[in-house]
Amino acid sequence: MAADPAPDELHFSDAPSVDDVPGQNSERLIEKQREIDSNAVAYPRRIPIAIEEASGATVRDADGNTFLDFFAGIGVLNVGHSNPYVLEAVQEQLESVAHTIDFPTEPRLELIERLREIAPGGLQGSSNVVFGGPSGSDAIEGSIKLAKHNTGRHGLLAFEGSYHGTTAGALSLTAGKKYKDGYGPLLPDAVHAPYPSATGDDISLSQALETVKRKFEDPYGGHGTPAGIWVEPIQGEGGVVVPPAGFLQGLRDIADDNDALLIVDEIQTGLGRTGEWFASDHFDVTPDAITMAKALGGTGLPIGAMLYHEEYDTWGPGGHVGTFRGNVPAMIGGVRAIDYIESHDLLAHASEVGTYLRDRFREIAETTPELVEVRGRGLFVGLEFHEDDTPSADLVEAIQRRCYENGVLVWSAGRHGHVLRLIPPLVLTEEQARIGADVICEAIETETGGR
């Protein structure tokens, strides 16, 4: 069947349309959440919204306010909220069977085949897929086991600024201290090297690669030789940091020279987010394994997976397991999402609309010294803000709040919370991009002009 409706038919037509926010219903629900939900709840503390319904790149709150969504559940909803083409297949699957552990089903096998077809470089047609738990952290845990099992080593190498999840192994790879405080000790011999940016502001490409090389080859390095290298091809939580062109290839070479695995974390960057199926494709590098989650479930259904070269499929039965590795509705959701992206050429669309957005923000940066850098690929955009040459989380929070008050949902990132992060659904229309950029630019001008 055709992948209908078209992307421009998915959205609430009145977005953005916002009265005074938060409204009474949102305030009531948020207050109830404070009383009975966990103190770990984070997002409503910054953006006080209770969501009633959502469609495409638009969200409606419990008071009828309608927003443009430039956040997409942290990059989960690549084909939009409540995409009917995805939901139709998910609903049919729910009425048939929902949970199958790892018994074969048509959706499971079709999703594996589709992922093998769109995999980066040499992984196409020469890879296997393993499903474990339903989150990105679970996929990372599986990748740690894969590297240890195939190398016999237990050391891990990741990067400063990285985020790979918050389960014990994934948290060992995650660089953010705020996520680790109070939870140590974690896995031993997990080390972090500097992550270079394309602008080379902090560390050069050669310096970064030399540091990684020493972590493997210095006989007095002070830690076990890593079993693998875990890297985000573009850092997300770290601030939408795009590395220099030769970085991933340099890591590929170091991994090859030291019999280690190169594992690329595509949890946030995969499934079309950057204008390619996987961000690895921008750098013409074939990883040994890629981890996936977020957008893989098509419509927000939880599913984590790892695709890896078939030569590393050395597990025996039960070598890697997880109760929810048979979430068939999420699997058919992933198949339908891939269909929808292909049918509507959303990879090219993401590149075009993302370029438009970055160009708009670079224009305003010319007269806004606080906006020090605009970066990203596809619909993965980061705006870095400083005040008095110091990273400014306060300025980003003020801009974010003003965007919310005017009907656009955005979020933050960066080591200091000083990056405005835009990750809208790939179905965002050109008109929505223009309107959203208008709101964001006005918020930037207002908040920087008064400081």
PDB file of all heavy atoms in Angstrom, residues 146-155 225 227:
ATOM      1  N   LEU A 146      29.292  -7.766  23.368  1.00  0.00           N
ATOM      2  CA  LEU A 146      29.813  -8.198  22.072  1.00  0.00           C
ATOM      3  C   LEU A 146      31.325  -7.968  21.995  1.00  0.00           C
ATOM      4  O   LEU A 146      32.076  -8.859  21.571  1.00  0.00           O
ATOM      5  CB  LEU A 146      29.118  -7.422  20.948  1.00  0.00           C
ATOM      6  CG  LEU A 146      29.507  -7.829  19.524  1.00  0.00           C
ATOM      7  CD1 LEU A 146      28.735  -9.066  19.101  1.00  0.00           C
ATOM      8  CD2 LEU A 146      29.250  -6.685  18.542  1.00  0.00           C
ATOM      9  N   ALA A 147      31.775  -6.783  22.413  1.00  0.00           N
ATOM     10  CA  ALA A 147      33.194  -6.462  22.330  1.00  0.00           C
ATOM     11  C   ALA A 147      34.010  -7.329  23.282  1.00  0.00           C
ATOM     12  O   ALA A 147      35.075  -7.845  22.914  1.00  0.00           O
ATOM     13  CB  ALA A 147      33.408  -4.979  22.643  1.00  0.00           C
ATOM     14  N   LYS A 148      33.525  -7.499  24.504  1.00  0.00           N
ATOM     15  CA  LYS A 148      34.253  -8.335  25.466  1.00  0.00           C
ATOM     16  C   LYS A 148      34.329  -9.781  24.990  1.00  0.00           C
ATOM     17  O   LYS A 148      35.383 -10.430  25.061  1.00  0.00           O
ATOM     18  CB  LYS A 148      33.565  -8.277  26.831  1.00  0.00           C
ATOM     19  CG  LYS A 148      33.725  -6.961  27.568  1.00  0.00           C
ATOM     20  CD  LYS A 148      33.066  -7.055  28.942  1.00  0.00           C
ATOM     21  CE  LYS A 148      33.323  -5.817  29.778  1.00  0.00           C
ATOM     22  NZ  LYS A 148      32.770  -5.943  31.148  1.00  0.00           N
ATOM     23  N   HIS A 149      33.208 -10.279  24.494  1.00  0.00           N
ATOM     24  CA  HIS A 149      33.138 -11.690  24.098  1.00  0.00           C
ATOM     25  C   HIS A 149      34.068 -11.987  22.929  1.00  0.00           C
ATOM     26  O   HIS A 149      34.648 -13.082  22.854  1.00  0.00           O
ATOM     27  CB  HIS A 149      31.694 -12.021  23.720  1.00  0.00           C
ATOM     28  CG  HIS A 149      31.439 -13.466  23.463  1.00  0.00           C
ATOM     29  ND1 HIS A 149      31.557 -14.440  24.426  1.00  0.00           N
ATOM     30  CD2 HIS A 149      31.072 -14.121  22.324  1.00  0.00           C
ATOM     31  CE1 HIS A 149      31.266 -15.622  23.911  1.00  0.00           C
ATOM     32  NE2 HIS A 149      30.977 -15.456  22.633  1.00  0.00           N
ATOM     33  N   ASN A 150      34.222 -11.012  22.027  1.00  0.00           N
ATOM     34  CA  ASN A 150      35.011 -11.267  20.832  1.00  0.00           C
ATOM     35  C   ASN A 150      36.483 -10.913  20.974  1.00  0.00           C
ATOM     36  O   ASN A 150      37.298 -11.335  20.135  1.00  0.00           O
ATOM     37  CB  ASN A 150      34.419 -10.502  19.650  1.00  0.00           C
ATOM     38  CG  ASN A 150      33.250 -11.229  19.017  1.00  0.00           C
ATOM     39  OD1 ASN A 150      33.445 -12.149  18.224  1.00  0.00           O
ATOM     40  ND2 ASN A 150      32.032 -10.843  19.370  1.00  0.00           N
ATOM     41  N   THR A 151      36.845 -10.159  22.002  1.00  0.00           N
ATOM     42  CA  THR A 151      38.250  -9.790  22.165  1.00  0.00           C
ATOM     43  C   THR A 151      38.897 -10.428  23.391  1.00  0.00           C
ATOM     44  O   THR A 151      40.135 -10.483  23.476  1.00  0.00           O
ATOM     45  CB  THR A 151      38.401  -8.267  22.300  1.00  0.00           C
ATOM     46  OG1 THR A 151      37.771  -7.823  23.513  1.00  0.00           O
ATOM     47  CG2 THR A 151      37.791  -7.551  21.109  1.00  0.00           C
ATOM     48  N   GLY A 152      38.083 -10.858  24.355  1.00  0.00           N
ATOM     49  CA  GLY A 152      38.635 -11.380  25.595  1.00  0.00           C
ATOM     50  C   GLY A 152      39.159 -10.300  26.518  1.00  0.00           C
ATOM     51  O   GLY A 152      39.800 -10.597  27.529  1.00  0.00           O
ATOM     52  N   ARG A 153      38.905  -9.027  26.166  1.00  0.00           N
ATOM     53  CA  ARG A 153      39.354  -7.910  26.995  1.00  0.00           C
ATOM     54  C   ARG A 153      38.153  -7.238  27.640  1.00  0.00           C
ATOM     55  O   ARG A 153      37.020  -7.394  27.188  1.00  0.00           O
ATOM     56  CB  ARG A 153      40.140  -6.908  26.136  1.00  0.00           C
ATOM     57  CG  ARG A 153      41.307  -7.545  25.396  1.00  0.00           C
ATOM     58  CD  ARG A 153      42.299  -6.511  24.899  1.00  0.00           C
ATOM     59  NE  ARG A 153      41.782  -5.655  23.852  1.00  0.00           N
ATOM     60  CZ  ARG A 153      42.032  -5.801  22.559  1.00  0.00           C
ATOM     61  NH1 ARG A 153      42.760  -6.834  22.141  1.00  0.00           N
ATOM     62  NH2 ARG A 153      41.548  -4.966  21.673  1.00  0.00           N
ATOM     63  N   HIS A 154      38.411  -6.460  28.702  1.00  0.00           N
ATOM     64  CA  HIS A 154      37.290  -5.812  29.376  1.00  0.00           C
ATOM     65  C   HIS A 154      37.380  -4.295  29.398  1.00  0.00           C
ATOM     66  O   HIS A 154      36.461  -3.617  29.849  1.00  0.00           O
ATOM     67  CB  HIS A 154      37.168  -6.330  30.815  1.00  0.00           C
ATOM     68  CG  HIS A 154      38.291  -5.914  31.713  1.00  0.00           C
ATOM     69  ND1 HIS A 154      39.409  -6.695  31.903  1.00  0.00           N
ATOM     70  CD2 HIS A 154      38.473  -4.807  32.463  1.00  0.00           C
ATOM     71  CE1 HIS A 154      40.230  -6.093  32.745  1.00  0.00           C
ATOM     72  NE2 HIS A 154      39.690  -4.940  33.100  1.00  0.00           N
ATOM     73  N   GLY A 155      38.469  -3.711  28.911  1.00  0.00           N
ATOM     74  CA  GLY A 155      38.589  -2.252  28.890  1.00  0.00           C
ATOM     75  C   GLY A 155      37.617  -1.626  27.896  1.00  0.00           C
ATOM     76  O   GLY A 155      37.248  -2.235  26.883  1.00  0.00           O
ATOM     77  N   THR A 225      43.869  -2.708  28.083  1.00  0.00           N
ATOM     78  CA  THR A 225      43.659  -2.377  26.670  1.00  0.00           C
ATOM     79  C   THR A 225      42.179  -2.488  26.339  1.00  0.00           C
ATOM     80  O   THR A 225      41.544  -3.514  26.618  1.00  0.00           O
ATOM     81  CB  THR A 225      44.461  -3.333  25.777  1.00  0.00           C
ATOM     82  OG1 THR A 225      45.844  -3.225  26.119  1.00  0.00           O
ATOM     83  CG2 THR A 225      44.272  -2.999  24.308  1.00  0.00           C
ATOM     84  N   ALA A 227      38.566  -3.175  24.796  1.00  0.00           N
ATOM     85  CA  ALA A 227      37.970  -4.147  23.884  1.00  0.00           C
ATOM     86  C   ALA A 227      37.362  -3.472  22.670  1.00  0.00           C
ATOM     87  O   ALA A 227      37.204  -4.088  21.617  1.00  0.00           O
ATOM     88  CB  ALA A 227      36.891  -4.953  24.619  1.00  0.00           C
TER      89      ALA A 227
END
